Amino acid sequence: FLLLGLGIAAGIRWRGKYSDCGQAFSKLYGVMGRYVCGTPMDLYYDEGAKDDDADVESVVPIRKGKQVEGISVRELPGGKAVCLIHKGPYDLIGAAYARLTDHAREHAMQFARPVRQVYIKGPGIIFKNPKNYLTEIQMLIEEP
């Protein structure tokens, strides 16, 4: 278990394919770049995977809030979470999700939405090889 507490974050909620997140991150970094103080992540609101119409929020932690149209600035809730780090391309991340949900089932845990997918190392100038991507999946546990 990990106790999460992120603090203030700026986010853009959108619907589409998971690979569409780059557009949201470009806007977030363009507007909030000097305030960003952590690793970007996507928040997934759907139950289960959706190929074309996923309900996603792309988020970056920020030092201070600045309200901008189309960008939500708020404190993300923390709590107890089960986490797992996936090494490799995003198209193989489903096995990591299955492992976490199996663990939850074995221990009678319920997960709260949204699920967080934190991009520790991903596409860019340095990490061009998807085999080297590092992605942390964080599933907050619903407290009774």
Side-chain angles (χ1 to χ4, degrees):
F1 293 109
L2 184 64
L3 196 57
L4 297 179
L6 182 64
I8 300 173
I12 297 173
R13 193 156 175 181
W14 52 273
R15 295 191 81 85
K17 296 180 179 187
Y18 298 120
S19 59
D20 294 340
C21 68
Q23 296 168 316
F25 284 124
S26 290
K27 183 174 181 182
L28 284 168
Y29 279 99
V31 174
M32 299 288 180
R34 66 181 180 199
Y35 302 116
V36 175
C37 63
T39 309
M41 71 182 76
D42 278 324
L43 307 180
Y44 297 118
Y45 291 90
D46 295 311
E47 237 178 273
K50 289 195 170 180
D51 292 332
D52 295 321
D53 191 35
D55 184 2
V56 181
E57 184 176 11
S58 297
V59 173
V60 291
I62 56 175
R63 282 188 291 283
K64 61 181 182 174
K66 171 180 146 181
Q67 292 297 332
V68 175
E69 189 175 335
I71 297 177
S72 165
V73 175
R74 66 189 191 289
E75 184 151 343
L76 283 184
K80 199 185 288 187
V82 176
C83 306
L84 184 131
I85 294 180
H86 166 74
K87 182 176 183 182
Y90 302 133
D91 59 349
L92 299 178
I93 204 164
Y97 276 95
R99 197 166 159 204
L100 279 173
T101 54
D102 288 348
H103 177 80
R105 217 173 287 119
E106 290 171 18
H107 293 59
M109 289 186 275
Q110 294 289 328
F111 292 127
R113 296 273 176 236
V115 172
R116 300 175 183 183
Q117 191 166 292
V118 182
Y119 304 108
I120 299 167
K121 292 181 185 175
I125 295 169
I126 299 171
F127 299 102
K128 292 182 180 180
N129 186 345
K131 287 188 220 173
N132 295 325
Y133 293 174
L134 288 179
T135 309
E136 181 175 22
I137 302 166
Q138 301 174 345
M139 294 181 160
L140 288 167
I141 300 166
E142 284 186 3
E143 298 289 336

